[in-house]
Amino acid sequence: MIYDGVCSCFIFYAVLLVIKMYIIAIITGQVRLRKKAFANPEDAVRHGGLQFCRLDPTVERCRRAHRNDLENILPFLFVGAVYCLTGPSLAMARLHFLVFVLARTLHSVAYVFAMRAPTRSLAYIIGQVPCVSMAIQVLNAVATYA
């Protein structure tokens, strides 16, 4: 199958985001092991006993970072894919995708490493700008058919 430049660009950045989500998931698992804080009794027993079936603030921070990715990246993947169908210029599409990826990466780093405020909030807001822009452009493109 042959993809146009915008579609290929979107696929590239979308896969980077999925890889980033996998990395956060792996970090969460590694922090669980290091902190001996397991969510399930069978995992705790396997790693030392039921006393390790507990919550840990660092593990929870990683889990929140991962959950935040799910809440933001999944909508981006949908809106971005539909946006590609509206025929945007490659330069504008690339800018939207790149800004989102960089903002989400900074957001994850700020979340996992508990960086000083407002780093995480600013990264979140910056990441929302291309999403809102793409959504508005999609709605404008299909409004005449609704």
Side-chain angles (χ1 to χ4, degrees):
M1 181 176 258
I2 298 173
Y3 299 103
D4 70 0
V6 172
C7 185
S8 295
C9 185
F10 174 71
I11 291 168
F12 175 80
Y13 287 107
V15 171
L16 286 180
L17 287 167
V18 171
I19 290 169
K20 187 194 81 57
M21 289 173 59
Y22 284 143
I23 290 168
I24 296 297
I26 291 167
I27 289 170
T28 303
Q30 292 303 306
V31 171
R32 268 195 194 287
L33 288 170
R34 191 177 77 241
K35 296 285 193 163
K36 292 193 129 208
F38 301 98
N40 302 304
E42 61 273 17
D43 298 329
V45 168
R46 188 169 149 230
H47 292 280
L50 280 177
Q51 71 272 23
F52 298 118
C53 186
R54 60 189 177 83
L55 295 178
D56 176 85
T58 308
V59 173
E60 292 307 305
R61 174 171 286 282
C62 293
R63 287 184 66 230
R64 287 191 306 272
H66 185 70
R67 186 175 65 228
N68 193 279
D69 271 352
L70 291 170
E71 292 167 357
N72 289 276
I73 291 173
L74 293 179
F76 167 83
L77 295 176
F78 172 76
V79 172
V82 176
Y83 170 73
C84 289
L85 300 174
T86 66
S89 74
L90 177 58
M92 190 55 66
R94 181 179 287 126
L95 180 64
H96 281 81
F97 306 151
L98 178 62
V99 168
F100 185 79
V101 168
L102 292 175
R104 288 310 306 173
T105 301
L106 177 59
H107 184 274
S108 292
V109 169
Y111 218 140
V112 170
F113 294 105
M115 292 174 69
R116 202 174 69 204
T119 306
R120 191 177 81 235
S121 297
L122 288 174
Y124 173 82
I125 291 167
I126 291 168
Q128 291 307 300
V129 171
C131 290
V132 170
S133 173
M134 288 188 301
I136 289 170
Q137 290 178 63
V138 166
L139 289 175
N140 283 336
V142 299
T144 58
Y145 303 104

